[in-house]
Amino acid sequence: QVQLVESGGGLVQPGGSLRLSCAASGSILGINVMGWYRQVPGEQRELVARTNAGRTDYADSVKGRCTISRDNAKNTVYLQMNGLKPEDTAVYYCYAYIRATNTGHWGQGTQVTVSS
């Protein structure tokens, strides 16, 4: 089993920045993809950014404003978010995928609120 613990969410003014962190523990050997999704009540969870073997993908809505990075030594993935907008308000979830077992794992989520 893989445990993912997110941190770094909170309330920020429009134009501000936040850095989310997600620490993985447990059966983490062989994690291929790590990423961030977000969800607004009543809507589907959507991809924000993901990283796999050095390749990164971003949602169009966050390109140029967000950067995902991964520290394999710390088993941690980060999401640096700049130029935050009210529409970025959501619960952000960390995700990890292990190809060898074809299993996906989710964190508990961290709230990000962008408001003046």
Side-chain angles (χ1 to χ4, degrees), residues 34-106:
M34 293 195 78
W36 292 93
Y37 287 71
R38 65 187 182 188
Q39 188 170 24
V40 174
E43 297 186 11
Q44 286 191 330
R45 196 170 294 188
E46 64 174 7
L47 173 70
V48 178
R50 62 188 170 201
T51 179
N52 179 20
R55 172 180 170 174
T56 56
D57 297 298
Y58 296 92
D60 288 342
S61 58
V62 304
K63 280 181 181 177
R65 300 189 296 120
C66 293
T67 303
I68 188 170
S69 60
R70 181 174 174 179
D71 186 335
N72 290 322
K74 295 182 178 180
N75 300 313
T76 299
V77 64
Y78 304 96
L79 183 68
Q80 177 67 44
M81 302 189 291
N82 302 322
L84 283 163
K85 306 175 182 180
E87 50 264 44
D88 293 317
T89 296
V91 177
Y92 284 69
Y93 295 91
C94 180
Y95 175 77
Y97 173 73
I98 301 175
R99 187 180 299 119
T101 56
N102 192 28
T103 54
H105 307 270
W106 294 95

